[in-house]
């Protein structure tokens, strides 16, 4: 039996601590924050539990293989996590009950259709008028017969050219200019406030935009359309995402092998073992697991800092509770493409959970700059602009049906997968590799894009399996 020190409070750190303890090890879990669950903690409004935006379990992957050994997971291999989705699902379902969500929807040209942007539905292609269809088809025909250097298949094993080309260009090279400009560019513009967002093409799934093969799209304009397997998203039947965090917290607090220390890490010194200096005490550690950011680890080790800060996505969340009968259009998640509607995404938590509650909870996500600008131009409060948008999309009929409304701006959510951020990440990664000794990294410090909930869960399980 060994002793471990785990720093962190997110789902990965919690699972890692719990599973190490379940194997009989002694664990000290150092939580630097006054709560559990990091982004998944959610927000309480009038005692009601809301999520910070659309958060769901993704248990579908092309490379899923339930025989894979967790210890072989490599966070540096693109979507290696997909091999273990069955393990992840089993683990989650052994703690909480989940519901298979209805297909996410997309709001486009004033209509709701099955979502093209992250739910892999190509139904929208048949919704276009004949002129647009002809244009898209002609562009796709040229693409499939042309040069393949930016073809979507490159994401599996990207060439330098593919890696160095912005997502917008790669998207046009696969989807055609018309389709990109109609469906993808307006959505990205809302999220990232830029007409030309610099995104890495191979990480397109982080902001949840697609990179389809042009052949698949083109086949949808022929007699034999290629269907893509539909991803199946899941959500807790409890009606809010943080139920998993509450359950893990309960198990951790009850576990006789886990000691919780609520304190910040000031410094880590590396000798024969580690000295972890906290604000209020000093600990000796032999097996130190770091669940925080790379920047925080660099600070604790006193290594060189990167010259610029990582850019993270700012989001303004609006939390609304209203009687279920007042919701006039049902959906689990609604991705809003139309530029004249301010939100970029709306989640109906109650619908996602499959519950038939008297009240419904909606979380609306907006770009903070665009929301503030819109409110100023319209001479109204931000909350009124969000409400107006719900009415204009036919989701509610009048503002007075809303019983609870709260608005919260969060300046730093997930890091944006662009080259600049990747350079900063790599800068730290290199410098930490030579300074961190045997510190085991977990979560967002492991790899630039290993930040999905699945990555976090799997890393927690893998570390417990490998070292416990
Ligand atoms: C709007 C939105 C929607 C999302 N939807 C999904 C989704 O549907 N599916 C999905 O898989 N993912 C989704 N994600 C990503 C996911 O929810 C998490 O954001 C991601 O896993 C990052 O992890 P985290 O927030 O849990 O913690 P991170 O940001 O990775 O890490 C925070 C960690 O740092 C530690 N820490 C904090 N301060 C210190 C300090 N001073 N010293 C040391 N450690 C410290 C914390 O304790 C914690 O362990 C979404 C993200 C956003 C923003």
């Amino acid at each position: 039996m060994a002793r471990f020190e785990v720093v962190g409070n997110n789902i990965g750190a919690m699972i890692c601590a719990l599973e190490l303890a379940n194997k009989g090890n002694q664990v000290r879990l150092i939580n630097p924050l006054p709560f559990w669950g990091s982004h998944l903690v959610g927000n309480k409004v009038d005692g009601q539990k809301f999520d910070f935006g659309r958060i769901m379990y993704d248990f579908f992957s092309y490379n899923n293989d339930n025989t894979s050994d967790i210890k072989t997971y490599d966070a540096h291999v693109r979507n290696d996590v997909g091999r273990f989705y069955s393990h992840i699902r089993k683990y989650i379902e052994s703690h909480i009950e989940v519901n298979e969500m209805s297909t996410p929807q997309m709001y486009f040209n004033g209509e709701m259709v099955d979502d093209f942007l992250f739910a892999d539905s190509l139904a929208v292609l048949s919704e276009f008028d004949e002129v647009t269809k002809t244009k898209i088809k002609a562009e796709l025909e040229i693409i499939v017969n042309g040069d393949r250097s930016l073809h979507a298949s490159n994401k599996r094993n990207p060439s330098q050219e593919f890696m160095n080309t912005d997502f917008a260009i790669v998207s046009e090279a696969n989807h055609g200019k018309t389709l990109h400009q109609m469906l993808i560019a307006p959505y990205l513009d809302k999220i990232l406030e830029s007409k030309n967002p610099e995104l890495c093409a191979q990480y397109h799934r982080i902001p949840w935009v697609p990179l389809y093969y042009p052949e698949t799209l083109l086949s949808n304009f022929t007699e034999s359309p290629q269907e893509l397997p539909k991803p199946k998203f899941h959500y807790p039947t409890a009606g809010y995402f943080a139920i998993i965090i509450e359950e893990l917290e309960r198990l951790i607090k009850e576990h006789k092998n886990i000691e919780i220390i609520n304190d910040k890490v000031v410094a880590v010194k590396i000798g024969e073992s580690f000295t972890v200096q906290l604000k209020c005490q000093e600990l000796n550690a032999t097996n130190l697991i770091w669940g925080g950011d790379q920047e925080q680890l660099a600070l604790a080790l006193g290594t060189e800092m990167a010259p610029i800060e990582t850019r993270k996505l700012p989001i303004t969340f609006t939390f609304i509770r209203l009687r279920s009968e007042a919701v006039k259009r049902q959906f689990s998640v609604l991705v809003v493409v139309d530029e004249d509607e301010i939100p970029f995404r709306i989640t109906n938590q109650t619908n996602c959970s499959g519950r038939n509650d008297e009240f419904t909870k909606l979380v609306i996500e907006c770009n903070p700059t665009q929301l503030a600008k819109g409110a100023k131009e319209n001479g109204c409060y931000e909350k009124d602009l969000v409400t107006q948008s719900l009415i204009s999309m036919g989701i509610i009929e009048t503002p007075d049906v809303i019983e609870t409304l709260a608005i919260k701006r969060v300046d730093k959510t997930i890091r944006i997968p662009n080259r600049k951020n990747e350079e900063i990440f790599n800068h730290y990664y290199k410098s930490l590799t030579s300074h961190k000794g045997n510190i085991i990294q977990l979560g967002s410090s492991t790899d630039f894009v290993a930040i999905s909930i699945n990555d976090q869960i799997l890393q927690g399980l893998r570390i417990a399996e490998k070292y416990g």
Side-chain angles (χ1 to χ4, degrees):
M1 292 311 112
R3 208 185 62 197
F4 290 85
E5 276 68 28
V6 181
V7 179
N9 85 339
N10 64 2
I11 191 167
M14 293 173 89
I15 289 175
C16 182
L18 184 62
E19 296 313 317
L20 282 168
N22 281 342
K23 286 180 176 287
N25 301 287
Q26 289 296 323
V27 181
R28 290 190 285 196
L29 178 55
I30 302 160
N31 181 355
L33 303 173
F35 59 89
W36 293 98
S38 195
H39 177 72
L40 306 189
V41 64
N43 192 26
K44 248 192 190 170
V45 183
D46 293 345
Q48 299 297 321
K49 294 169 183 173
F50 287 92
D51 306 333
F52 276 119
R54 185 233 47 206
I55 309 180
M56 58 202 187
Y57 292 108
D58 179 3
F59 294 142
F60 168 82
S61 180
Y62 289 99
N63 58 344
N64 188 10
D65 155 20
N66 55 22
T67 58
S68 291
D69 175 358
I70 281 188
K71 294 201 277 309
T72 65
Y73 161 69
D74 183 351
H76 305 298
V77 175
R78 185 183 177 278
N79 197 33
D80 195 40
V81 67
R83 284 197 290 139
F84 306 96
Y85 277 12
S86 305
H87 293 75
I88 296 168
R89 179 173 191 166
K90 204 163 141 212
Y91 187 79
I92 292 301
E93 289 186 332
S94 68
H95 289 83
I96 58 162
E97 194 189 357
V98 292
N99 173 55
E100 188 180 318
M101 292 160 47
S102 60
T103 306
Q105 299 290 294
M106 176 169 77
Y107 190 83
F108 171 66
N109 272 352
E111 299 291 336
M112 271 194 207
V113 281
D114 285 358
D115 172 57
F116 170 87
L117 289 175
F118 78 94
D120 287 356
S121 168
L122 304 179
V124 70
L125 300 177
S126 52
E127 297 287 317
F128 294 123
D129 59 60
E130 288 310 314
V131 176
T132 311
K133 277 189 204 165
T134 309
K135 208 167 160 198
I136 295 173
K137 188 173 173 229
E139 286 171 4
L140 289 168
E141 272 163 350
I142 295 173
I143 290 170
V144 297
N145 292 312
D147 169 43
R148 290 177 70 84
S149 57
L150 295 181
H151 191 273
S153 56
N154 278 287
K155 58 188 166 181
R156 286 173 199 275
N157 198 0
S159 62
Q160 274 306 318
E161 183 183 357
F162 187 85
M163 298 231 308
N164 292 331
T165 310
D166 286 346
F167 170 77
I169 295 169
V170 176
S171 171
E172 283 195 9
N174 285 279
H175 305 139
K177 195 172 176 127
T178 307
L179 202 53
H180 174 77
Q181 299 288 347
M182 286 178 89
L183 291 181
I184 301 171
Y187 181 68
L188 276 179
D189 183 38
K190 278 195 195 183
I191 300 186
L192 296 168
E193 353 172 318
S194 158
K195 286 274 175 224
N196 283 307
E198 286 170 25
L199 282 183
C200 306
Q202 80 264 41
Y203 309 142
H204 64 98
R205 274 298 173 204
I206 293 188
W208 294 90
V209 283
L211 188 53
Y212 294 114
Y213 284 26
E215 293 79 5
T216 305
L217 296 175
L218 184 59
S219 77
N220 276 267
F221 295 96
T222 67
E223 305 263 287
S224 40
Q226 240 179 59
E227 280 270 337
L228 293 171
K230 295 269 174 306
K232 289 185 174 37
F233 299 112
H234 288 77
Y235 189 85
T237 54
Y240 60 101
F241 204 89
I243 180 76
I244 183 68
I245 300 299
E246 291 174 1
E247 182 56 13
L248 293 170
E249 181 182 348
R250 184 184 69 76
L251 295 169
I252 285 170
K253 286 184 169 161
E254 280 172 2
H255 211 296
K256 62 177 182 11
N257 291 2
I258 305 181
E259 180 192 350
I260 297 168
I261 300 173
N262 274 105
D263 208 344
K264 290 219 180 320
V265 178
V266 178
V268 174
K269 299 214 163 57
I270 301 178
E272 267 176 40
S273 60
F274 303 104
T275 309
V276 184
Q277 200 188 322
L278 304 175
K279 265 195 172 162
C280 304
Q281 58 176 303
E282 204 170 87
L283 303 176
N284 260 327
T286 17
N287 299 299
L288 181 60
I289 298 164
W290 188 267
D293 272 353
Q294 291 202 118
E295 285 90 331
Q296 292 152 352
L297 182 55
L299 208 61
L301 289 169
T303 64
E304 188 200 346
M305 301 298 285
I308 25 172
E309 211 190 327
T310 310
R311 231 195 115 211
K312 291 190 171 172
L313 190 68
I315 303 177
T316 299
F317 300 96
T318 306
F319 309 97
I320 287 181
R321 184 169 179 264
L322 73 175
R323 288 197 169 273
S324 296
E325 72 237 20
V327 181
K328 298 300 174 198
R329 294 182 107 167
Q330 283 296 334
F331 51 84
S332 53
V333 176
L334 183 66
V335 165
V336 186
V337 174
D338 285 3
E339 280 165 302
D340 41 1
E341 301 300 346
I342 198 82
F344 64 81
R345 199 160 56 192
I346 305 175
T347 305
N348 181 331
Q349 286 182 211
T350 314
N351 185 300
C352 286
S353 66
R355 295 170 75 91
N356 272 322
D357 288 349
E358 201 183 337
F359 285 90
T360 287
K361 285 189 251 178
L362 303 176
V363 183
I364 298 119
E365 293 168 77
C366 297
N367 173 297
T369 315
Q370 292 171 8
L371 180 59
K373 189 166 163 253
K376 201 169 167 204
E377 280 167 9
N378 286 279
C380 65
Y381 291 114
E382 293 185 354
K383 65 182 170 67
D384 297 330
L385 200 58
V386 173
T387 309
Q388 273 169 28
S389 215
L390 293 183
I391 297 172
S392 119
M393 287 189 273
I395 297 166
I396 58 171
E397 284 174 343
T398 57
D400 51 353
V401 296
I402 296 174
E403 304 215 358
T404 303
L405 186 150
I407 207 159
K408 192 177 172 89
R409 176 181 169 144
V410 181
D411 280 323
K412 293 178 183 178
T413 64
I414 39 176
R415 63 180 166 232
I416 299 170
N418 59 24
R419 288 287 162 228
K420 195 141 257 156
N421 278 348
E422 193 175 31
E423 274 165 29
I424 301 171
F425 183 91
N426 289 340
H427 169 94
Y428 278 118
Y429 198 82
K430 266 198 209 127
S431 110
L432 281 174
T433 304
S434 49
H435 284 91
K436 73 181 175 70
N438 293 328
I439 298 175
I440 301 164
Q441 283 173 277
L442 165 71
S444 55
S445 68
T446 321
D447 187 82
F448 181 56
V449 285
I451 56 171
S452 73
I453 295 165
N454 284 334
D455 279 295
Q456 301 269 2
I457 296 169
L458 191 66
Q459 287 175 25
L461 294 174
R462 188 191 73 95
I463 291 172
E465 189 73 27
K466 184 166 175 191
Y467 301 95

